[in-house]
Amino acid sequence: MNNIGLILLVLCSSAWLGFAGDAADLSNSSSEAFDFSAAERFIPANAIASMFNVSVDPNWIQGTQSFWYLNTGRSGQEFILVDVQNKTKIPAFNHTLLALSLSSIVDEPIDPALLPFSEITMHQGSDRIEFTAYNQTMQFNLTSGQIDEVPFGQKAGPGESLSPDGRFAAFVRDHNLWVRDTKNGEKYQLNANGSRDCAYAKRSETVSHPVSQVRLNETANPYAVWSPDSRRIATFRMDQRNVTQLHLLQYVPGNNSRPKPWTYRFALPNDEFVPMYEPIVVDVLGRKVIPVSYKAQSEVSLMDTEEDVLQWWSEDGQVLYSLFAERGEKALLLLRTDPKSGKTEEIQKEQGRTYVEANLDYASSPNVKIMKNGDIVWFSENDGFGHLYLYGNDGKQKSAITCGDWVVRDLLFVDENRSQVYFTAGGREPGRDPYYRHLYRVNLDGSDLQLLTPEDADHNIQADPSGTAFIDTYSRVDEPPVTVIRDLFGNITMNLESADIKNITDMGWRPPERFSVKALDGKTDLFGLLIKPTNFNASQKYPVVETVYPGPWIIVTAKSFPGDQAWVNKIFWRAQAVAELGFIVVTLDGPGTPYRSKEFHDASYGHLGDAALPDHINVLKQLARDRPYMDMSRVGMFGHSAGGFMTAQALLTYPDFYKVGVASGGDYDSRFYGAYWGEKYEGLNSSDYGEQITSWKAGNLTGKLLLIAGDADDNVNPCMTMQLVDAFIDADRPFDLLIMTNRNHDLSYDTYFLHRLFGYLEENLKKDGQP
């Protein structure tokens, strides 16, 4: 390898796609130099497919206290119907009869335990279920057992948003908002004059990944919210006409094709123009647009999600509420709009020294509730922790609903008749992991706070829309999930599922070690996991690898059992796969990450380049003191996206400690990432971003570093990787580079990627074949 680096170009035109239900066979493409078979058992697709009865995703039937869910068990998949009021759990329909009826229509065998659809539609009082299979919408008669094709199903198709009553399906066509009448199939346009750069019910190209949408033939749902009475839609008119352009070059778009350039609009920090969103209300029945009399919203992190969480309706649909975040997100306002006239007023405002959050979960529904009497339940971190407060309709605080050195996670609902609030929170129970969520009830005046979930575990709570019960899936990384239904007092009224993880334990898997150690300040507890190979031998020495993500929007350490394809669970199983190669793998959430105090989270504000690396080094040294099997002379790191950034920063800032790194899809310089991100976490003035510019440290590289990027990454543009490449060349430092063709940002579980990750760590972090 010369002093510029080894450039590996992956000339393959389509990514490997893995599904939770399909085991991924990597053995045929394993590197000849290494045996990855032990690791391959635990890659996310394989590990998660080895578990059953893991979770319950309820789909509520409107007007009832019943829901259905799709359960994956050892014998296959089954649709389950649960009646909360009557405490019954039965199959949603006769799977064998449906399979026989469907088989006669399509003239091929159908396995009743693996039906060719994963969603159904059920209506109160109906004896039919609706589903889509073989590109047809069908109805199964529960009484006769017959299937009928229906011309216009009450089911949302790709890119559609169904109204609450099922009558209309909203969608975007040619940058305008349309609806489809599900009764007769009629489609009609609700507004005019939409264009690519000035579109209705669409997010900007800065946050919507437009190149990937075209390449992968994806259709986004309308960025909009239906009113409960199905008469109106709240949405925005997005304007990106003055936003500057960014470019990609897709090297191998097809067989014998020339490289394909892509251009899209992408707002960077400190740009004069960012995407703007003008709020509007659409009268569906009257087919007219009502402008909202308030200024346009600049694009902020609350728009970095496909769901419109900025707008919501009163229960009767007569009032529209919305949040308005100022650019940089240091001010947050609550607005009330008359949907008939568009008249809007400010009813609550909060400002902060750094960003103001409405929910500690990034881009999630705000922890805000406007009650019928006009009082407001409002989330704030003003006292240093995330809590709920009660304000009158005059804007004056009435009471602190919650308080203490712990944080509210989600406001579930307010029982106005009993003046009680139900919410989840973390950090209140002594001796428990502060990241574990528990369900609580408290009076609006802050009195009589009650813990409703006593189990020492993380509780994933979903509330019954009628406010009468909760679905609780509780687990820990070392305890598999149990799903139950609880009443308003926390009593378990039904047992739904208990996870079956026998397959994976039969492979020798044992839960990781949960640990907590003191931060550098000597006071703050930091939490993480230590993951060992299944053939662990305490008498051996193992190199240590961190898998990292510095936040600030999320944590990297799994808290509940990693039983599905959630972001943090995939990270866990990839870490276990790496451990199988003979490594000790560590995850840690340092200062600058969420779900703790405001001070803890703000540690990264304006200091993203620090990435809490001094604390990470300190934690590893503490762990190694009484774990002699940890070889601290061989420490490496890998991470993707912000984790790639952190990995490069680690090797360039602490080269004597971190010896090997694999950094993929890294945002190595926030000046070239979205304005909504950098301006929230680094500040409005990009001239202050110098501390996080990775390329400025290129001359410090002494270890082995592999950079990986996708040539079609429209989230984290590969220009940041090339900026770092250029700096290494100028500094005459050796490095390795892998460009994965036809890959966007979602490449870090690709077969080829995993093999290069495994091989690079094996080759460069082990010595003399040990262990």
Side-chain angles (χ1 to χ4, degrees), residues 378-390 397 399-409 421 423-429 440-450:
W378 181 258
F379 177 86
S380 173
E381 294 181 278
N382 270 341
D383 77 343
F385 290 84
H387 282 295
L388 299 175
Y389 298 85
L390 181 64
Q397 182 179 319
S399 63
I401 301 173
T402 62
C403 62
D405 293 352
W406 48 278
V407 298
V408 170
R409 295 289 295 273
V421 180
F423 63 95
T424 58
R428 181 178 179 271
E429 304 309 310
Y440 296 90
R441 183 186 65 227
V442 67
N443 293 332
L444 279 170
D445 63 5
S447 63
D448 196 25
L449 176 63
Q450 297 290 326

Side-chain angles (χ1 to χ4, degrees), residues 306-422:
E306 295 180 359
E307 181 183 358
D308 180 1
V309 301
L310 285 170
Q311 300 174 305
W312 67 97
W313 294 88
S314 60
E315 292 180 5
D316 60 7
Q318 299 305 304
V319 181
L320 173 65
Y321 296 103
S322 58
L323 285 183
F324 180 92
E326 293 184 358
R327 188 171 175 179
E329 303 188 43
K330 292 185 178 182
L332 195 63
L333 294 89
L334 177 62
L335 310 177
R336 177 168 50 210
T337 297
D338 178 352
K340 297 177 182 178
S341 66
K343 182 180 178 181
T344 300
E345 59 180 331
E346 300 175 358
I347 58 175
Q348 187 72 22
K349 182 176 182 178
E350 182 167 334
Q351 294 178 292
R353 182 187 63 84
T354 64
Y355 45 86
V356 177
E357 302 273 43
N359 189 317
L360 296 182
D361 282 311
Y362 180 82
S364 294
S365 297
N367 286 326
V368 178
K369 170 68 176 179
I370 297 88
M371 297 191 293
K372 294 175 182 177
N373 66 0
D375 285 357
I376 302 167
V377 177
W378 181 258
F379 177 86
S380 173
E381 294 181 278
N382 270 341
D383 77 343
F385 290 84
H387 282 295
L388 299 175
Y389 298 85
L390 181 64
Y391 285 85
N393 54 20
D394 58 0
K396 295 182 180 179
Q397 182 179 319
K398 286 186 172 183
S399 63
I401 301 173
T402 62
C403 62
D405 293 352
W406 48 278
V407 298
V408 170
R409 295 289 295 273
D410 277 304
L411 172 62
L412 296 175
F413 71 91
V414 177
D415 186 336
E416 297 186 43
N417 293 327
R418 294 183 175 89
S419 297
Q420 293 177 326
V421 180
Y422 293 83

